[in-house]
Amino acid sequence: MAAKISTYLARWTIYVPVVAVAALALTWGRDLAAALVIVSAALLAGAVLAAVHHAEVVAHKVGEPFGSLVLAVAVTVIEVALIVTLMISGGEKTQSLARDTVFAAVMITCNGILGLSLLVGAIRRRIAVFNPEGTGGALAAVATVATLSLVLPSFTTSRPGPQFSPAQLAFAAVASLGLYLLFVTVQTRRHRDYFLPITTAGEVIDEEEHVDPPTARAALTSVGLLLVALIAVVGLAKGVSPAIESAVAGAGLPQSVVGVIIALLVLLPETIAAVRAAARDRIQTSLNLALGSAMASIGLTIPAIAIAMIWLDGPLLLGLGGTQMVLLALTVVVGTLTVVPGRANVLQGGIHVGLLAVFLFLAASP
């Protein structure tokens, strides 16, 4: 019976991404009726769960910290494609979409995913243990690129409003990409042991215990299906986005809420994967996903948007407002106090989840 269930689940994770992409092809560029929106949303949820499954298969094959990078980079690339697509077709109302989505991604990863992971780990083991050297370095990198890309545009004077001049945008893009590549190099090569899961006694866990890694063929199949699932996630999210925008406008919410919803959708696979890792007492893997996703979201999105602005019309509003800057600063300060000891309990996890709740509330009611 267990073998039959396992086989069914394996087939389910294969069929759903394919069906979701087929539905995407049939509905692309069309105005969806209410029934089709519901079907697309259901396939979107299924594609998210399938993406999590295949990302975990690949992560198990390549090991940490490479496994965390697989999902982070894949989701971020798709996120960039979604932002650019919406900016091309959205006109003036999408001038701040990149800023809103990237900032939402930082808040969700550094508070939501990180906080949930610490909560799950602390509830399971009373204390969530991780490597402060690797996690602290990752947080420092996130704080640097976030400030460079999202805070400084509000204070530069070359252009009116919260935007960079072309030269400043090019510099920010190169600097963000350079810092991201440096972060990946340190994480995967020079100081790889700083990003490996550790036990409560501080011993490094270099391999998963009692579980045989998947074959190379299975891992390659999962890579392909992961990409298919992520394409389906973003494509279907774009298909239902008019319904989302109409609902946001009908509820009287700010346009920036659309960016928050996009970030929530595309980061759902990483959130589920991080919580699952925390439940297995792999807190460091969860934090790698959280901070690595935040770093990828800025380090890859800003350069891509900078290139896209070559042919996109209108200004690119990147600078945060005062309320958002306060939330970013508070997140960095609280995050620093959380990661420095290398140990956290339910208090730290609860504080980060509370910060996410504050962000979501103020996004809806600025």
Side-chain angles (χ1 to χ4, degrees), residues 115 121 126 148 153 164 179 188 194 197-198 265 285 323 333 338:
R126 294 183 63 85
L148 172 63
F164 278 139
L179 286 172
T188 59
Y194 288 177
I198 59 176
L265 285 173
T285 300
T323 302
V333 172
T338 297

Side-chain angles (χ1 to χ4, degrees), residues 2 6 54 77 81 94 111 117 140 148 160 166 189 200 217 252 273 298 314 360:
S6 178
H54 293 298
V77 170
T94 61
N111 287 317
S117 299
L148 172 63
R189 296 179 63 86
T200 53
R217 180 179 179 181
I298 307 173
L360 294 175

Side-chain angles (χ1 to χ4, degrees), residues 347-366:
L347 175 60
Q348 286 95 335
I351 291 173
H352 282 281
V353 173
L355 284 175
L356 175 65
V358 172
F359 162 70
L360 294 175
F361 175 76
L362 291 178
S365 181

Side-chain angles (χ1 to χ4, degrees), residues 264-286:
L264 286 170
L265 285 173
V266 299
L267 288 172
L268 186 56
E270 291 166 303
T271 303
I272 297 174
V275 171
R276 284 183 174 179
R280 298 196 307 269
D281 201 24
R282 301 295 190 265
I283 304 300
Q284 188 62 54
T285 300
S286 300

